[in-house]
Amino acid sequence: MKKVTILAASVLLFLGQACTQKQEDNSSVSESKEKTETSENKEKMSEKEQYTFELSDKVTRKKVTFKNRYGITLTGDFYLPKNEEAGKLAALAISGPFGAVKEQASGFYANTMAERGFAVLAFDPSYTGESGGEPRFVASPDINTEDFSAAVDFLGIQDNVDREKIGIIGICGFGGFALNAVAVDKRVKAVATTSMYDMSRVNAKGYFDATTPEQRTQILEQLSEQRWKDAENGTPALAPNGLPDKIEGNEPEFVQGYFDYYKTDRGFHPRSINSNGSWTVTTPISLMNMPILTYIKEISPRPMLIIAGSEAHSRYFSEDAYKAAEEPKELMIIPGAVHTDLYDGGDKDYIPFDKLETFFTENLK
C-alpha cells in the first residue's frame, strides 16, 4: 500500500482521495500548458469588489453583515429585484462552492434568482472571503451548517422579506451543508442543491468510499501529529494549494474542470481559496468524524430538489442523498453537464434556472 501523506489528506478537501493516488504518478506539472492564470490576470482581478459576473440591470446589490450563533461576523451580498411592487418577498440564502466566495458562483445564482423576483443573500462562510473567524481558511461541518441558519436569521428580520417564505440553495460542498441545515432548521421551507458534495463523506472515505480503514487511520495519525506542530508554531500550517497554477491536459476531467473555473478569467477571484490559496492542514479532522447527512430524512415533509450533471464526477453524492431522503424530493440530472458546469452554466447554460424558479415559487407560498 502506498504511503498516505498529510498532503493527501489536505488535497482530499478539494480533489478527493480517490484521485490522489491517480495523481501521484502525474504529480509533476508541465510549465508549457497554455491554459494558465497569468500574473496580468491576477492583477486585473485584485480589486476588492471584483465579481466574476455582471450585475443585472434588473437587480440591486448591497453588502451586508450578520453574526452566526458562534459570534462570527459573516459578510454577504443582498440582491433585490428592482421595480417590485411593495410587499414582502420570498427569500433565498445561497452559498458555495466549497472554497469559493460570494463573488463567484453563489453571487451568480443570487443575481439570477433576484431577477426572477426573489430576495437573495449570497454569503461568504465563516473563516473565508470577507467573513470573520480566526484562524483563516478553516472549514467545519457544524459552523458551516450554522452559517446557513445565520443567513436565515438575517433574511427573517428584513422588512421586505416574508419570513414564512425562506429557502436555501447550496452549491457543491455547501449543498451538503445546506441539507444538514434544513434538516435541523425548521424555518426553511424548501431546499435545492447543485453539484452537491457530502464533504464529510469524501473526507472520511475518499471518492466512491475508496479509502481503506488503514489509510484513514494513517491520515488521522498524521493530522493528530500536525496539531502538536501547529501548537509549537503558534499558528496552523496551511496545506499546499489544492490546484496547480498550470496543467498539461491529461489530468482527471474534474481537475481540469476545477482549473478551468478557478484558475482562469472564467471564475478566478483573489479571495477564493480554490483560486488563490489553501485550507489549513488540519481542516479535514472534524469533517472526517462528523457525518453531515445523518438526519437527511428529517427534511421531509419540506420539498427538496437535487440537481447534478450527468457527466459530473460528483453525481453519486446527489443520487445517494436523494435515495436517503424522504418525499417530497426530486432528482434532476442535466444531460452532458460536468460538475463545474453548474457553477456558472458552463458553455451551454446548464443551470436550470427555470426549474429553480418554479420549484421555489411553488414551495415558498
Side-chain angles (χ1 to χ4, degrees):
M1 182 176 65
K2 294 184 179 180
K3 178 176 174 59
V4 181
T5 64
I6 201 163
L7 171 60
S10 61
V11 170
L12 180 58
L13 279 165
F14 186 39
L15 302 181
Q17 182 164 5
C19 75
T20 301
Q21 293 186 356
K22 293 179 185 177
Q23 293 182 46
E24 285 178 355
D25 297 330
N26 229 358
S27 59
S28 60
V29 180
S30 168
E31 295 187 0
S32 63
K33 179 64 185 175
E34 292 181 2
K35 225 188 269 183
T36 182
E37 179 56 45
T38 66
S39 58
E40 178 182 350
N41 287 339
K42 289 182 180 180
E43 289 176 6
K44 181 175 68 175
M45 296 295 291
S46 65
E47 295 182 9
K48 187 175 182 181
E49 297 300 332
Q50 183 68 48
Y51 291 80
T52 60
F53 57 92
E54 294 292 328
L55 181 66
S56 169
D57 59 7
K58 300 176 182 179
V59 170
T60 63
R61 178 174 59 206
K62 179 177 69 172
K63 185 161 291 186
V64 298
T65 60
F66 53 100
K67 287 189 176 183
N68 69 15
R69 190 165 54 90
Y70 295 102
I72 298 170
T73 298
L74 304 180
T75 300
D77 287 323
F78 193 32
Y79 292 78
L80 291 169
K82 290 182 180 177
N83 304 319
E84 283 290 317
E85 296 181 1
K88 292 181 178 290
L89 300 173
L92 302 170
I94 305 180
S95 196
F98 189 78
V101 289
K102 63 188 179 302
E103 292 84 1
Q104 294 174 310
S106 61
F108 176 70
Y109 273 68
N111 184 55
T112 306
M113 295 304 287
E115 278 188 316
R116 294 163 181 255
F118 297 89
V120 191
L121 175 65
F123 64 91
D124 289 333
S126 296
Y127 308 108
T128 66
E130 292 186 304
S131 288
E134 293 290 340
R136 305 302 293 163
F137 313 139
V138 175
S140 161
D142 182 19
I143 294 175
N144 291 144
T145 295
E146 159 62 22
D147 289 341
F148 269 116
S149 286
V152 174
D153 293 343
F154 170 86
L155 290 169
I157 61 174
Q158 304 307 305
D159 291 339
N160 51 0
V161 167
D162 185 339
R163 65 166 56 179
E164 300 303 320
K165 299 179 181 179
I166 297 177
I168 283 178
I169 298 176
I171 308 167
C172 183
F174 276 80
F177 296 135
L179 296 177
N180 196 34
V182 178
V184 72
D185 194 334
K186 304 306 182 182
R187 300 172 300 174
V188 182
K189 299 303 189 292
V191 59
T193 67
T194 59
S195 289
M196 193 272 286
Y197 258 59
D198 178 345
M199 292 306 301
S200 56
R201 178 179 175 183
V202 75
N203 275 272
K205 300 180 179 181
Y207 276 133
F208 301 101
D209 303 336
T211 300
T212 66
E214 293 78 13
Q215 288 173 324
R216 173 181 167 84
T217 296
Q218 196 169 10
I219 292 170
L220 287 170
E221 286 173 348
Q222 293 177 61
L223 291 172
S224 299
E225 291 291 328
Q226 182 65 39
R227 293 187 64 123
W228 269 325
K229 295 176 183 178
D230 291 349
E232 290 170 347
N233 293 330
T235 184
L238 293 176
N241 284 2
L243 285 171
D245 286 331
K246 301 176 183 179
I247 61 173
E248 288 184 330
N250 58 355
E251 293 81 3
E253 174 278 320
F254 64 94
V255 177
Q256 296 183 53
Y258 285 137
F259 184 92
D260 285 343
Y261 183 77
Y262 287 110
K263 288 290 191 176
T264 71
D265 284 343
R266 175 183 169 192
F268 178 88
H269 195 281
R271 283 195 296 271
S272 169
I273 294 173
N274 297 337
S275 289
N276 205 34
S278 59
W279 298 95
T280 61
V281 173
T282 55
T283 288
I285 291 175
S286 58
L287 289 165
M288 291 178 72
N289 202 43
M290 299 179 185
I292 59 175
L293 297 186
T294 301
Y295 295 102
I296 191 172
K297 293 181 185 295
E298 295 186 11
I299 293 175
S300 178
R302 294 161 297 161
M304 174 193 313
L305 172 63
I306 299 177
I307 303 169
S310 67
E311 308 308 307
H313 68 281
S314 57
R315 175 176 171 175
Y316 75 100
F317 289 121
S318 292
E319 292 175 331
D320 287 355
Y322 174 78
K323 292 174 185 175
E326 300 284 359
E327 297 286 355
K329 60 183 179 178
E330 181 176 356
L331 176 65
M332 183 177 188
I333 302 298
I334 308 300
V338 300
H339 181 86
T340 50
D341 284 333
L342 297 183
Y343 287 7
D344 62 353
D347 58 0
K348 294 184 179 180
D349 294 328
Y350 282 110
I351 302 172
F353 281 117
D354 288 344
K355 177 65 175 181
L356 286 166
E357 178 183 359
T358 299
F359 173 77
F360 284 111
T361 298
E362 291 179 351
N363 293 299
L364 299 182
K365 294 181 179 179

